[in-house]
Amino acid sequence: MKNITEIRKSLHIAQHQIQPQQAQQAMQLNDFAARNINNIFKSLCQIFPNWRNVYRDADELQAAKNTFTKGMMENGIVTSEQVKRGLAKARSQESDFFPSVGKFCAWCRDDTQWQSAFQRMLTREPAQNLVEKKARTETSWQIRNSLNAADAEKKFKQAYEKYQALEQQGLLVELQQLPARSSVTEFDKKRNATTVRPEQFRESSVFARVAAKGMTHE
């Protein structure tokens, strides 16, 4: 059985092995928005013809692209499927107004995932993945005790999408759990087997009184 020092060492090694992989994966995913932002804006400008009234010169348009790139990275919009979903919803809009980065990211997300996860939490079914588990941990008490139905859905949706974005960037991992049973070393056994008696200390001292109390429980 491993002692606590060995367990900490293995956790430390595991974390150092995961971190370079996470950094590389996050860099690859974050590069998606930067590489595709021109095509995304080209499509959005075709869908929303009033874009010229919003971005009046090249500098404003470039600033908007930078904002969209950063917003997509932060919200975990890092796949072609997500962008296709967002553009499809954009084409279904009746308004001609150019969307904000937050609105476009919302269009890109798959709402069925968080809704199914929310229903499983309400019916006390097992969580199906780490994103769902983290969202439950963060929101379940407040949802069950202090929120109405609309606010509960909004709270869970925000938490789910936050952890979903972290997972898509390779930043959401579950650390190795400590063993359920305590790890007792040979030193612990010897230390616990040692009996401390009052006569070992100065009479009427605190240590003597503590030792005396210990004797009564032998």
Side-chain angles (χ1 to χ4, degrees), residues 8-70:
R8 285 175 178 169
K9 184 177 179 180
S10 64
L11 285 173
H12 182 71
I13 293 172
Q15 288 173 340
H16 277 273
Q17 291 174 339
I18 290 171
Q19 286 173 357
Q21 298 172 2
Q22 290 177 341
Q24 183 178 6
Q25 185 178 9
M27 185 179 299
Q28 292 172 347
L29 292 175
N30 288 346
D31 187 51
F32 172 85
R35 286 187 287 104
N36 291 276
I37 195 64
N38 287 331
N39 290 332
I40 292 170
F41 254 71
K42 182 178 179 180
S43 297
L44 289 175
C45 289
Q46 291 173 345
I47 297 169
F48 301 101
N50 82 319
W51 70 271
R52 296 181 185 277
N53 297 326
V54 180
Y55 309 116
R56 300 180 181 180
D57 55 42
D59 290 339
E60 289 187 359
L61 185 61
Q62 186 58 49
K65 289 181 181 180
N66 294 338
T67 300
F68 264 70
T69 301
K70 184 177 180 180

Side-chain angles (χ1 to χ4, degrees), residues 124-151:
R124 301 183 185 277
E125 297 177 47
Q128 294 189 352
N129 50 56
L130 185 56
V131 171
E132 192 172 333
K133 181 179 178 181
K134 292 287 188 180
R136 283 189 185 191
T137 301
E138 181 174 320
T139 63
S140 60
W141 188 91
Q142 193 173 6
I143 286 174
R144 296 185 186 281
N145 292 278
S146 62
L147 297 179
N148 58 40
D151 289 340

